[in-house]
Amino acid sequence: MPTLRQLFLSHNAQTTDFPLLLEFERAEGIYMYDKRGKAYTDLISGIGVSNLGHSNPYVVNAIKEQLDKYMHLMVYGEYVQTPQVRFAEKLISLLPPNLQSVYFTNSGAEAVEGALKLAKRFTGRREIIAFQNSYHGSTHGALSIMGNEEFKQAYRPLLPGVNFIIFNNTGDLDKINDQTACVIIETIQGEAGVRVPDIEYIQALRKRCDETGALLILDEIQAAFGRTGHLFAFEHFDIVPDILLLAKALGGGMPVGAFIASNTIMSALKENPILGHITTFGGHPVCCAAGLAALEVLLNENLVPAVAEKAALFRKMLAHPAIKEIRGKGLMLAIEFESFELNKKIIDRCIEHGVITDWFLHCSNAMRIAPPLIITHDEIKNACEVILEAVQYYS
């Protein structure tokens, strides 16, 4: 009889030749438990998904209640479904007035695809400007705007008309012109190793888009829902996007994404042609019920204001000569080491000792720290002790 691990390797598509092969039977709070009952601290929130930790009872109950009513009824946008309407209503209540129409998708990558189509359709332009070292997903269009050739060279030809500029470099902003449909940027670059732009830069970018008529798309798929210390990361910079992208923590652990724009912009998908963007399972009622519940927990338990203090504790605890830099905003942090080899050894030792972290696609010598926002000060200290032991071991 083959083991579960053997079946996984035989029948589940693999994305590397060296998967972690950790087997978890349950998860609760900031912990995941293997079949022996060993607890692992999740310091990466399933890559930005589990802002409330795992198995939040309020979210789980919302899922169960919706399951008893109905699941999939019809492709997105045809029927009036309570979970979709209430979730959209709540999101819009928390956003600036020009962000008033929500298109729910299955994932962040699909939100990216929909937003790119919308920008082209609304402006009638074809050029897209993206950023070096950006990451927006792995579907064909999202891959086209990824700013790392190593990850996309094998899949060319990709989407035409994409040009790249340097993140946080005002000298490149002149490349945005009256042929540019949109500029798509991560409000805080994630896979580049958590790069935070200068406020002057992001405001200059907003101004340049206004001057040229290009739409500004902010990708907050990793950064939203309190992770940076504000509900939305753009609130740090006193700007508002034309299109906002959300996913990951949006669903409270369930798969859902969204692109959000004004009614005027979003209406471009309704004609010439009709059904300008279609999704069967986008905005699935169970996922929307979970997302609304997660958002209510985030707000009602006042988790966002506590982020800055918890982030400061990580920065204080992780002071060590082997750590070159700690970058980031709130609980979206990158711990940079001398090399990928050192970083990987430290990460592996942390996992052996029950702390889950990883590295970044475009910055492999940095360790990701993005725990659930519910993490306590004592849990931060315990996790940092494991990290520091591993750092000291290899120093």
PDB file of all heavy atoms in Angstrom, residues 68 72 134 171 176 182 196 210 215 233 237 266 274 288 299 304 318 358:
ATOM      1  N   ASP A  68     -25.353  25.279   3.868  1.00  0.00           N
ATOM      2  CA  ASP A  68     -26.719  24.797   4.091  1.00  0.00           C
ATOM      3  C   ASP A  68     -27.746  25.526   3.231  1.00  0.00           C
ATOM      4  O   ASP A  68     -28.887  25.064   3.103  1.00  0.00           O
ATOM      5  CB  ASP A  68     -27.094  24.952   5.569  1.00  0.00           C
ATOM      6  CG  ASP A  68     -26.396  23.935   6.462  1.00  0.00           C
ATOM      7  OD1 ASP A  68     -25.998  22.882   5.939  1.00  0.00           O
ATOM      8  OD2 ASP A  68     -26.247  24.208   7.664  1.00  0.00           O
ATOM      9  N   HIS A  72     -22.768  26.798  -5.752  1.00  0.00           N
ATOM     10  CA  HIS A  72     -22.792  27.452  -7.067  1.00  0.00           C
ATOM     11  C   HIS A  72     -24.201  27.436  -7.660  1.00  0.00           C
ATOM     12  O   HIS A  72     -24.881  26.415  -7.653  1.00  0.00           O
ATOM     13  CB  HIS A  72     -21.832  26.731  -8.017  1.00  0.00           C
ATOM     14  CG  HIS A  72     -21.874  27.258  -9.416  1.00  0.00           C
ATOM     15  ND1 HIS A  72     -21.295  28.458  -9.763  1.00  0.00           N
ATOM     16  CD2 HIS A  72     -22.442  26.778 -10.547  1.00  0.00           C
ATOM     17  CE1 HIS A  72     -21.492  28.679 -11.052  1.00  0.00           C
ATOM     18  NE2 HIS A  72     -22.191  27.681 -11.546  1.00  0.00           N
ATOM     19  N   SER A 134       8.812  42.719 -10.416  1.00  0.00           N
ATOM     20  CA  SER A 134       7.421  42.609  -9.985  1.00  0.00           C
ATOM     21  C   SER A 134       6.944  41.166 -10.047  1.00  0.00           C
ATOM     22  O   SER A 134       7.510  40.333 -10.750  1.00  0.00           O
ATOM     23  CB  SER A 134       6.529  43.469 -10.883  1.00  0.00           C
ATOM     24  OG  SER A 134       6.620  43.042 -12.231  1.00  0.00           O
ATOM     25  N   GLY A 171      12.952  58.943 -12.445  1.00  0.00           N
ATOM     26  CA  GLY A 171      13.461  59.216 -13.781  1.00  0.00           C
ATOM     27  C   GLY A 171      12.795  58.406 -14.866  1.00  0.00           C
ATOM     28  O   GLY A 171      12.822  58.799 -16.044  1.00  0.00           O
ATOM     29  N   ILE A 176       5.837  56.752 -19.181  1.00  0.00           N
ATOM     30  CA  ILE A 176       4.378  56.673 -19.195  1.00  0.00           C
ATOM     31  C   ILE A 176       3.880  57.801 -20.100  1.00  0.00           C
ATOM     32  O   ILE A 176       4.214  58.973 -19.884  1.00  0.00           O
ATOM     33  CB  ILE A 176       3.801  56.838 -17.774  1.00  0.00           C
ATOM     34  CG1 ILE A 176       4.406  55.790 -16.828  1.00  0.00           C
ATOM     35  CG2 ILE A 176       2.285  56.738 -17.783  1.00  0.00           C
ATOM     36  CD1 ILE A 176       4.153  56.071 -15.351  1.00  0.00           C
ATOM     37  N   CYS A 182      -2.296  51.419 -18.978  1.00  0.00           N
ATOM     38  CA  CYS A 182      -2.242  51.311 -17.517  1.00  0.00           C
ATOM     39  C   CYS A 182      -0.820  51.117 -17.047  1.00  0.00           C
ATOM     40  O   CYS A 182       0.058  50.655 -17.785  1.00  0.00           O
ATOM     41  CB  CYS A 182      -3.112  50.160 -17.020  1.00  0.00           C
ATOM     42  SG  CYS A 182      -2.577  48.530 -17.592  1.00  0.00           S
ATOM     43  N   VAL A 196       9.520  48.848  -0.223  1.00  0.00           N
ATOM     44  CA  VAL A 196       8.539  49.896   0.057  1.00  0.00           C
ATOM     45  C   VAL A 196       8.932  51.150  -0.712  1.00  0.00           C
ATOM     46  O   VAL A 196      10.044  51.653  -0.547  1.00  0.00           O
ATOM     47  CB  VAL A 196       8.478  50.201   1.566  1.00  0.00           C
ATOM     48  CG1 VAL A 196       7.419  51.262   1.860  1.00  0.00           C
ATOM     49  CG2 VAL A 196       8.195  48.924   2.364  1.00  0.00           C
ATOM     50  N   ASP A 210      -2.315  60.571 -14.057  1.00  0.00           N
ATOM     51  CA  ASP A 210      -3.370  61.564 -14.265  1.00  0.00           C
ATOM     52  C   ASP A 210      -3.067  62.429 -15.484  1.00  0.00           C
ATOM     53  O   ASP A 210      -3.962  62.750 -16.281  1.00  0.00           O
ATOM     54  CB  ASP A 210      -3.511  62.450 -13.027  1.00  0.00           C
ATOM     55  CG  ASP A 210      -4.118  61.716 -11.839  1.00  0.00           C
ATOM     56  OD1 ASP A 210      -4.798  60.691 -12.059  1.00  0.00           O
ATOM     57  OD2 ASP A 210      -3.901  62.159 -10.700  1.00  0.00           O
ATOM     58  N   LEU A 215      -4.432  54.488 -16.620  1.00  0.00           N
ATOM     59  CA  LEU A 215      -5.026  54.018 -15.369  1.00  0.00           C
ATOM     60  C   LEU A 215      -3.939  53.462 -14.453  1.00  0.00           C
ATOM     61  O   LEU A 215      -3.027  52.765 -14.912  1.00  0.00           O
ATOM     62  CB  LEU A 215      -6.071  52.939 -15.648  1.00  0.00           C
ATOM     63  CG  LEU A 215      -7.277  53.336 -16.497  1.00  0.00           C
ATOM     64  CD1 LEU A 215      -8.283  52.193 -16.552  1.00  0.00           C
ATOM     65  CD2 LEU A 215      -7.941  54.605 -15.982  1.00  0.00           C
ATOM     66  N   ALA A 233      -2.773  49.042   1.815  1.00  0.00           N
ATOM     67  CA  ALA A 233      -1.421  49.608   1.831  1.00  0.00           C
ATOM     68  C   ALA A 233      -1.367  50.992   1.202  1.00  0.00           C
ATOM     69  O   ALA A 233      -0.534  51.817   1.590  1.00  0.00           O
ATOM     70  CB  ALA A 233      -0.451  48.661   1.121  1.00  0.00           C
ATOM     71  N   PHE A 237       0.239  56.120   1.639  1.00  0.00           N
ATOM     72  CA  PHE A 237       0.851  57.016   0.661  1.00  0.00           C
ATOM     73  C   PHE A 237      -0.064  58.145   0.198  1.00  0.00           C
ATOM     74  O   PHE A 237       0.315  58.928  -0.665  1.00  0.00           O
ATOM     75  CB  PHE A 237       1.312  56.193  -0.547  1.00  0.00           C
ATOM     76  CG  PHE A 237       2.264  55.088  -0.193  1.00  0.00           C
ATOM     77  CD1 PHE A 237       1.821  53.772  -0.090  1.00  0.00           C
ATOM     78  CD2 PHE A 237       3.590  55.362   0.070  1.00  0.00           C
ATOM     79  CE1 PHE A 237       2.692  52.747   0.246  1.00  0.00           C
ATOM     80  CE2 PHE A 237       4.470  54.353   0.415  1.00  0.00           C
ATOM     81  CZ  PHE A 237       4.022  53.035   0.505  1.00  0.00           C
ATOM     82  N   MET A 266     -15.699  50.243 -14.826  1.00  0.00           N
ATOM     83  CA  MET A 266     -16.124  48.845 -14.874  1.00  0.00           C
ATOM     84  C   MET A 266     -17.184  48.610 -15.941  1.00  0.00           C
ATOM     85  O   MET A 266     -17.273  47.505 -16.520  1.00  0.00           O
ATOM     86  CB  MET A 266     -16.648  48.410 -13.506  1.00  0.00           C
ATOM     87  CG  MET A 266     -16.746  46.906 -13.329  1.00  0.00           C
ATOM     88  SD  MET A 266     -15.138  46.060 -13.251  1.00  0.00           S
ATOM     89  CE  MET A 266     -14.692  46.357 -11.535  1.00  0.00           C
ATOM     90  N   ILE A 274     -20.383  42.489 -25.288  1.00  0.00           N
ATOM     91  CA  ILE A 274     -20.982  42.156 -24.003  1.00  0.00           C
ATOM     92  C   ILE A 274     -20.186  41.009 -23.377  1.00  0.00           C
ATOM     93  O   ILE A 274     -19.416  40.332 -24.051  1.00  0.00           O
ATOM     94  CB  ILE A 274     -22.467  41.766 -24.152  1.00  0.00           C
ATOM     95  CG1 ILE A 274     -22.619  40.484 -24.987  1.00  0.00           C
ATOM     96  CG2 ILE A 274     -23.271  42.904 -24.749  1.00  0.00           C
ATOM     97  CD1 ILE A 274     -24.020  39.896 -24.908  1.00  0.00           C
ATOM     98  N   CYS A 288     -17.394  33.962  -0.742  1.00  0.00           N
ATOM     99  CA  CYS A 288     -17.792  35.319  -0.358  1.00  0.00           C
ATOM    100  C   CYS A 288     -18.293  35.370   1.076  1.00  0.00           C
ATOM    101  O   CYS A 288     -18.029  36.338   1.804  1.00  0.00           O
ATOM    102  CB  CYS A 288     -18.841  35.847  -1.323  1.00  0.00           C
ATOM    103  SG  CYS A 288     -18.176  36.333  -2.931  1.00  0.00           S
ATOM    104  N   LEU A 299     -11.977  43.597  11.551  1.00  0.00           N
ATOM    105  CA  LEU A 299     -12.380  44.910  12.040  1.00  0.00           C
ATOM    106  C   LEU A 299     -12.870  44.865  13.485  1.00  0.00           C
ATOM    107  O   LEU A 299     -12.476  45.700  14.309  1.00  0.00           O
ATOM    108  CB  LEU A 299     -13.482  45.468  11.138  1.00  0.00           C
ATOM    109  CG  LEU A 299     -13.101  45.700   9.671  1.00  0.00           C
ATOM    110  CD1 LEU A 299     -14.331  46.076   8.853  1.00  0.00           C
ATOM    111  CD2 LEU A 299     -12.027  46.763   9.533  1.00  0.00           C
ATOM    112  N   VAL A 304      -5.813  45.406  13.226  1.00  0.00           N
ATOM    113  CA  VAL A 304      -4.906  46.233  12.417  1.00  0.00           C
ATOM    114  C   VAL A 304      -4.076  47.202  13.257  1.00  0.00           C
ATOM    115  O   VAL A 304      -2.861  47.325  13.043  1.00  0.00           O
ATOM    116  CB  VAL A 304      -5.690  46.966  11.314  1.00  0.00           C
ATOM    117  CG1 VAL A 304      -4.741  47.811  10.466  1.00  0.00           C
ATOM    118  CG2 VAL A 304      -6.426  45.959  10.424  1.00  0.00           C
ATOM    119  N   LEU A 318      15.108  40.398  16.223  1.00  0.00           N
ATOM    120  CA  LEU A 318      15.941  39.796  15.178  1.00  0.00           C
ATOM    121  C   LEU A 318      17.190  40.619  14.872  1.00  0.00           C
ATOM    122  O   LEU A 318      17.718  40.578  13.758  1.00  0.00           O
ATOM    123  CB  LEU A 318      15.113  39.584  13.906  1.00  0.00           C
ATOM    124  CG  LEU A 318      14.018  38.516  14.037  1.00  0.00           C
ATOM    125  CD1 LEU A 318      13.191  38.430  12.767  1.00  0.00           C
ATOM    126  CD2 LEU A 318      14.622  37.143  14.369  1.00  0.00           C
ATOM    127  N   ASP A 358      10.024  31.036   4.551  1.00  0.00           N
ATOM    128  CA  ASP A 358      10.576  30.692   3.241  1.00  0.00           C
ATOM    129  C   ASP A 358      11.290  31.893   2.661  1.00  0.00           C
ATOM    130  O   ASP A 358      11.513  32.891   3.343  1.00  0.00           O
ATOM    131  CB  ASP A 358       9.491  30.154   2.295  1.00  0.00           C
ATOM    132  CG  ASP A 358       8.556  31.234   1.768  1.00  0.00           C
ATOM    133  OD1 ASP A 358       8.478  32.311   2.413  1.00  0.00           O
ATOM    134  OD2 ASP A 358       7.906  31.012   0.739  1.00  0.00           O
TER     135      ASP A 358
END
